[in-house]
Amino acid sequence: MARATGKSEAVYERLKQDIESLRLRPGAKLSEIQLGEELGASRTPVREAIRSLAREGLVDFVPGEVARVAAISLGGVHSLFEFRMLLEPEAASQVAALGQARESVREPFVRLLTRLDDFERSFRARDEAQQAQSFQDFYALTEIFDQELIAACRNAYLARTIRDLRSQTVRLRHLSHSGPQRMLISLDEHRAMVEAIVNGDGPAASAACRRHLAQTLQALIDSLTGQYAEFGAEVHLDALG
């Protein structure tokens, strides 16, 4: 039983990475037989992994039918970011306030600020081809910020809810950073959030987080609208109200 559970976890992690990175596109079919052959797994761990991903909203799973990678809806993206704007600015404010009293909370953000500055200097010194290969390095830094924010948030319910939204957020991240210019803007937005936390300024941290989420939402809307022909019916250009 332990081996089956371990295999299911391995299949889950692989499929999740492929969905979040868009290697598996919205609407892609997830055949248990085909995936089992590709991943060297029986149908049971594949089915368990698909069900787990369905619970996270990454897969549309209907018993008796072939599962598919969940489609992307502009209305759904808008609703997700509305919810994030209720949660994450509050978390940033809490962490900034807590960092004033606890150096152990503040220190990871001090280190991250240095890494963001180092990354920008290195990125600007590269040519266009090298810059295109640097996006994963930037994603790694933003992931550190997100995880440190969750870890330091004093409200366990708030932290857990933000963490549970990560899968949806990571998949969309690859669409919001559509080019070097947007990535540099995002870097400045993250620097503003980190600086506010390092300075113990809760209101500034909250405001910077809200600005970042609003800008990311607009970048996503622009990107999804522009890529509609590529994604086809699996991007729903529905109303945003």
Side-chain angles (χ1 to χ4, degrees):
M1 188 66 177
R3 287 193 297 272
T5 301
K7 192 64 176 180
S8 176
E9 181 67 19
V11 173
Y12 163 83
E13 291 294 342
R14 169 64 183 278
L15 291 178
K16 184 176 181 179
Q17 290 174 11
D18 286 349
I19 292 171
E20 289 179 345
S21 67
L22 299 179
R23 285 192 292 268
L24 281 172
R25 309 289 274 182
K29 293 182 179 180
L30 300 175
S31 166
E32 293 177 6
I33 296 175
Q34 182 178 344
L35 288 171
E37 292 175 350
E38 292 175 357
L39 302 176
S42 66
R43 294 184 66 175
T44 296
V46 172
R47 186 180 302 115
E48 291 174 351
I50 289 174
R51 286 174 175 168
S52 295
L53 292 166
R55 287 192 290 270
E56 295 181 25
L58 293 176
V59 167
D60 293 329
F61 177 75
V62 179
E65 298 182 12
V66 175
R68 293 176 179 269
V69 176
I72 295 175
S73 158
L74 282 183
V77 169
H78 193 266
S79 294
L80 171 65
F81 273 78
E82 279 187 330
F83 191 36
R84 291 183 65 190
M85 286 179 198
L86 295 174
L87 303 176
E88 294 176 33
E90 173 61 23
S93 178
Q94 288 187 14
V95 172
L98 192 61
Q100 286 184 307
R102 298 183 188 175
E103 183 64 22
S104 61
V105 172
R106 182 175 172 272
E107 185 57 34
F109 294 96
V110 173
R111 293 195 299 267
L112 179 57
L113 189 59
T114 299
R115 293 184 66 178
L116 287 170
D117 290 340
D118 290 345
F119 174 83
E120 181 175 9
R121 284 192 293 272
S122 174
F123 184 83
R124 290 185 181 278
R126 298 174 181 178
D127 60 33
E128 186 174 344
Q130 292 172 324
Q131 287 181 347
Q133 298 174 354
S134 301
F135 277 54
Q136 289 301 326
D137 295 334
F138 178 64
Y139 294 153
L141 293 177
T142 62
E143 182 69 18
I144 290 172
F145 172 79
D146 292 336
Q147 295 300 333
E148 292 292 349
L149 190 73
I150 291 169
C153 182
R154 68 172 183 264
N155 187 307
Y157 292 101
L158 178 58
R160 186 181 305 117
T161 304
I162 294 172
R163 185 180 64 243
D164 290 345
L165 294 174
R166 292 293 301 140
S167 294
Q168 293 289 346
T169 300
V170 170
R171 179 163 75 141
L172 295 171
R173 178 180 63 190
H174 293 269
L175 297 172
S176 65
H177 299 149
S178 53
Q181 189 58 41
R182 171 56 201 159
M183 196 205 68
L184 286 171
I185 292 172
S186 181
L187 189 149
D188 285 339
E189 293 165 358
H190 278 84
R191 182 186 289 113
M193 291 186 286
V194 174
E195 286 179 342
I197 291 173
V198 167
N199 293 332
D201 190 335
S206 177
C209 184
R210 189 174 298 278
R211 283 194 300 272
H212 168 63
L213 291 172
Q215 291 292 330
T216 302
L217 173 59
Q218 187 58 55
L220 277 167
I221 292 171
D222 295 342
S223 179
L224 289 172
T225 303
Q227 296 185 61
Y228 176 67
E230 177 183 350
F231 282 103
E234 300 309 327
V235 168
H236 303 156
L237 302 183
D238 46 11
L240 297 179

